Amino acid sequence: MDSDAVILDLNQLRRSCTSCALHELCLPAGIYGDDLRQLDTVVRDKRALERGSTLYRDGDAFKALYVVRSGSFKTFLLNEAGDMQVLAFHLPGEILGFDALASNRHVSQAEALEHSSICELPYARLMQVSNDVPALHRQLMRVISREMVIEHRHLVMMGRQPAQERLAIFLQNLVDRYASLNRDDITLTLSMSRYDIANYLGLVVETVSRLFTRMQETGVLEVNRKSVRILRPDLLAELCSTQHPRTLKSHDRD
Amino acid sequence: MDSDAVILDLNQLRRSCTSCALHELCLPAGIYGDDLRQLDTVVRDKRALERGSTLYRDGDAFKALYVVRSGSFKTFLLNEAGDMQVLAFHLPGEILGFDALASNRHVSQAEALEHSSICELPYARLMQVSNDVPALHRQLMRVISREMVIEHRHLVMMGRQPAQERLAIFLQNLVDRYASLNRDDITLTLSMSRYDIANYLGLVVETVSRLFTRMQETGVLEVNRKSVRILRPDLLAELCSTQHPRTLKSHDRD
DNA sequence: GGCGGCAGTTGACCTCGGTCAACTGGATGC
DNA sequence: GCATCCAGTTGACCGAGGTCAACTGCCGCC
């Protein structure tokens, strides 16, 4: 069982945004009072998904956005040849499905990495409500924009960082995100496989494996299958910035 | 002078969205009649920018979104060390500045690659109007989402494609975008430097240079400084898909 | 409790693309 | 017209990380 990988105690989960533990992280952040109660009328059907089951796939008609309540997801692209590129991992409070706004079809796939649950936000309803609630509208845009900024960082990593930095940044990022979920201990339980990690980082699984070993040897962390305990957060943080700058400086024109 | 790199004849540019040549590509796409006239009240101050001048930089307060009217821009991130990562090149009709929605500050930099002009869309005003015009609202979300989808493709390129495929995809992409601007000949005028291209593709300038040479030798194209003439669009298209799949297949769970 | 399977690890080797350095050729200026 | 400068090109070399193959060990299953 991987129920220990579920980050939030299921008891904390309530039926409405108003009382949801993810309140401040999720779409309702910055929305209060009547507006929040209006938002509550959007949320539907808190489904549970088993590990490996698909939330949506490429080509699916766009019906709703989804908020991760518990567990975790990966989103990825598949090309014609079936090659995968992992785009992101999604933790509780994060919203999936924005890719479909452009064309009214999903152009990526989302899959649960463990037993997970989601809130469904039917888009039509969401748009109705946000016509009455300008704050919701702005918040939606903010959330998409945040998504973009995160992707920018992913892009920088792919373009410019050597392998070790990539893994370090990935781990640091997970530590940070779990920290904001009130898990401030430094043992991560990775719900994704080494393959997924490698793919996300633009590396191969062997490289990731070697890097984990090396980081363990240098005392940065302790790995045991899915469990990664950060022993030296300071060293990890150091590894995040490249020692060997590969890039050109921005040329100063003036 | 690089006025020959300006894609649209300046005579085509009018003062309002209603009559703008970019109408169907830009924010107004799918917006008509009174709604469009309302949108017109948002657009302000069609500024011109010289090559190398900065539209916004990291840390700038978020005031407006910008539409490229003519010319082209690059957007990029700078890290503390001054390393650059080019995020995107922006052609006429494309919108810049979404990165700032999340935090009300720009977290990237935008710079004109040639003599260019823009429409400014003050965000506060844009939000006012889109409260009255739901279509505008939806269109805005669509445009951001499209931006995300484009970044996904960039990410795949960075993560999985070998160097030659990256350049081929980049060129193909420019061909496609210029095609939708009614430039259906196959001579590109690259407004960005080899450094910018290399950086965007996660490569170094020497590699890009060698690839141009190789593609010229194999008869795919003809390069002359900034001018690239595609001789064999069919071959270029072929080069876009990787011959050596580097990635793992998506494991079929059911 | 022995077996098969698959995720993950380790090692040996090789290749793609990065690095470094020299060179070329337009563009600009005096 | 010659010098300078910088973007871009070319060549020689090298190393990070990919490839391929063998191995380990956990887990589920009969």
Side-chain angles (χ1 to χ4, degrees):
Chain A
M1 268 245 9
D2 22 42
S3 68
D4 58 351
V6 174
I7 288 91
L8 291 165
D9 190 310
L10 286 170
N11 295 331
Q12 290 178 25
L13 300 179
R14 294 287 138 61
R15 233 157 245 95
S16 76
C17 293
T18 325
S19 58
C20 175
L22 295 172
H23 186 194
E24 285 303 325
L25 302 167
C26 182
L27 200 56
I31 298 178
Y32 305 101
D34 272 351
D35 286 357
L36 187 51
R37 273 183 285 283
Q38 280 231 52
L39 176 55
D40 254 345
T41 69
V42 174
V43 181
R44 200 179 66 184
D45 183 31
K46 285 119 188 173
R47 277 202 278 151
L49 289 96
E50 284 315 307
R51 172 195 161 97
S53 58
T54 296
L55 183 55
Y56 55 78
R57 49 167 48 88
D58 197 335
D60 281 1
F62 176 45
K63 286 186 288 236
L65 297 172
Y66 305 95
V67 181
V68 184
R69 285 211 93 165
S70 67
S72 52
F73 288 79
K74 66 173 174 184
T75 46
F76 55 97
L77 294 184
L78 293 177
N79 67 9
E80 325 72 51
D83 294 336
M84 172 176 74
Q85 172 65 53
V86 174
L87 300 171
F89 299 110
H90 301 268
L91 305 187
E94 295 173 0
I95 305 182
L96 287 77
F98 289 121
D99 64 303
L101 287 171
S103 57
N104 278 316
R105 306 215 151 260
H106 288 283
V107 291
S108 64
Q109 189 160 336
E111 189 181 303
L113 292 168
E114 58 191 306
H115 180 82
S116 304
S117 63
I118 50 126
C119 295
E120 195 175 315
L121 312 175
Y123 191 60
R125 181 81 189 115
L126 192 60
M127 286 295 95
Q128 276 172 15
V129 171
S130 62
N131 280 343
D132 298 344
V133 183
L136 176 57
H137 205 166
R138 282 198 304 278
Q139 172 66 0
L140 259 175
M141 305 273 267
R142 261 201 297 274
V143 172
I144 310 187
S145 172
R146 196 170 57 197
E147 199 88 349
M148 277 189 60
V149 172
I150 290 169
E151 289 203 351
H152 288 172
R153 285 199 285 262
H154 192 186
L155 214 45
V156 172
M157 204 178 63
M158 296 292 243
R160 315 241 78 79
Q161 313 288 138
Q164 178 163 259
E165 276 74 349
R166 295 191 199 189
L167 185 57
I169 291 169
F170 169 71
L171 292 172
Q172 182 69 63
N173 186 248
L174 281 185
V175 169
D176 294 346
R177 284 153 81 194
Y178 278 127
S180 71
L181 287 164
N182 305 318
R183 266 176 61 121
D184 42 22
D185 69 295
I186 44 175
T187 299
L188 297 171
T189 303
L190 304 176
S191 57
M192 65 296 282
S193 71
R194 296 286 192 273
Y195 283 89
D196 288 339
I197 297 173
N199 186 287
Y200 174 74
L201 298 176
L203 303 170
V204 295
V205 66
E206 292 93 329
T207 304
V208 170
S209 184
R210 281 185 247 271
L211 287 171
F212 269 125
T213 306
R214 197 200 308 176
M215 287 183 177
Q216 181 157 260
E217 280 164 6
T218 55
V220 178
L221 45 76
E222 202 175 72
V223 202
N224 193 307
R225 299 182 64 67
K226 301 253 162 227
S227 153
V228 175
R229 166 170 230 173
I230 311 295
L231 301 174
R232 296 285 305 275
D234 55 329
L235 290 181
L236 182 64
E238 260 178 45
L239 290 180
C240 288
S241 46
T242 313
Q243 279 74 15
H244 329 268
R246 266 196 190 175
T247 27
L248 62 153
K249 310 286 172 187
S250 79
H251 38 161
D252 310 29
R253 297 199 192 93
D254 46 327
Chain B
M1 271 271 328
D2 17 48
S3 68
D4 59 351
V6 174
I7 288 91
L8 291 166
D9 191 310
L10 287 171
N11 296 330
Q12 290 178 23
L13 300 180
R14 295 287 139 61
R15 233 156 244 96
S16 76
C17 293
T18 324
S19 57
C20 175
L22 295 172
H23 186 192
E24 284 303 324
L25 303 167
C26 183
L27 200 56
I31 297 177
Y32 305 101
D34 272 351
D35 286 356
L36 187 52
R37 273 182 286 281
Q38 280 230 52
L39 176 56
D40 253 344
T41 70
V42 174
V43 180
R44 201 177 66 183
D45 183 30
K46 284 118 190 172
R47 278 202 278 152
L49 288 96
E50 283 316 305
R51 171 195 162 96
S53 58
T54 297
L55 183 54
Y56 55 79
R57 48 168 46 91
D58 197 337
D60 281 1
F62 177 45
K63 287 186 289 236
L65 298 171
Y66 305 96
V67 181
V68 183
R69 285 211 93 165
S70 66
S72 51
F73 288 78
K74 68 172 173 183
T75 47
F76 55 98
L77 295 184
L78 294 177
N79 67 10
E80 325 74 51
D83 294 336
M84 173 176 74
Q85 172 66 54
V86 174
L87 299 171
F89 299 110
H90 301 268
L91 305 187
E94 296 174 0
I95 306 181
L96 287 77
F98 289 121
D99 64 305
L101 287 170
S103 57
N104 278 316
R105 304 215 152 261
H106 287 283
V107 290
S108 65
Q109 188 161 337
E111 188 181 303
L113 292 168
E114 57 192 307
H115 179 82
S116 302
S117 62
I118 50 123
C119 295
E120 195 176 314
L121 312 175
Y123 191 60
R125 180 82 187 113
L126 192 60
M127 286 294 95
Q128 277 171 15
V129 171
S130 61
N131 280 343
D132 298 344
V133 183
L136 177 56
H137 204 166
R138 280 199 304 278
Q139 171 66 358
L140 260 175
M141 306 273 267
R142 260 201 298 274
V143 172
I144 310 186
S145 171
R146 196 171 54 197
E147 199 89 349
M148 276 189 60
V149 172
I150 289 169
E151 288 203 352
H152 288 171
R153 284 198 285 262
H154 191 188
L155 214 45
V156 171
M157 205 178 62
M158 297 292 242
R160 316 241 78 80
Q161 312 287 132
Q164 177 163 262
E165 277 74 348
R166 295 191 199 190
L167 185 57
I169 291 168
F170 169 70
L171 291 172
Q172 181 69 61
N173 185 248
L174 281 185
V175 169
D176 293 347
R177 284 152 82 194
Y178 278 127
S180 72
L181 288 164
N182 304 319
R183 264 177 60 124
D184 42 21
D185 70 295
I186 44 175
T187 300
L188 298 170
T189 302
L190 304 176
S191 57
M192 63 297 282
S193 73
R194 297 286 193 271
Y195 283 89
D196 288 339
I197 297 173
N199 187 288
Y200 173 74
L201 298 177
L203 303 170
V204 295
V205 67
E206 292 94 329
T207 303
V208 170
S209 185
R210 280 184 248 272
L211 288 171
F212 270 125
T213 306
R214 198 202 308 178
M215 287 184 179
Q216 182 158 259
E217 280 165 5
T218 55
V220 178
L221 44 74
E222 202 175 71
V223 201
N224 192 306
R225 299 182 64 67
K226 302 251 161 229
S227 153
V228 175
R229 166 170 230 172
I230 312 295
L231 300 174
R232 295 284 306 273
D234 54 329
L235 289 182
L236 182 64
E238 260 176 45
L239 290 180
C240 289
S241 44
T242 315
Q243 278 75 13
H244 329 269
R246 267 195 189 176
T247 27
L248 62 154
K249 310 288 173 184
S250 79
H251 38 159
D252 309 31
R253 296 202 192 90
D254 47 323

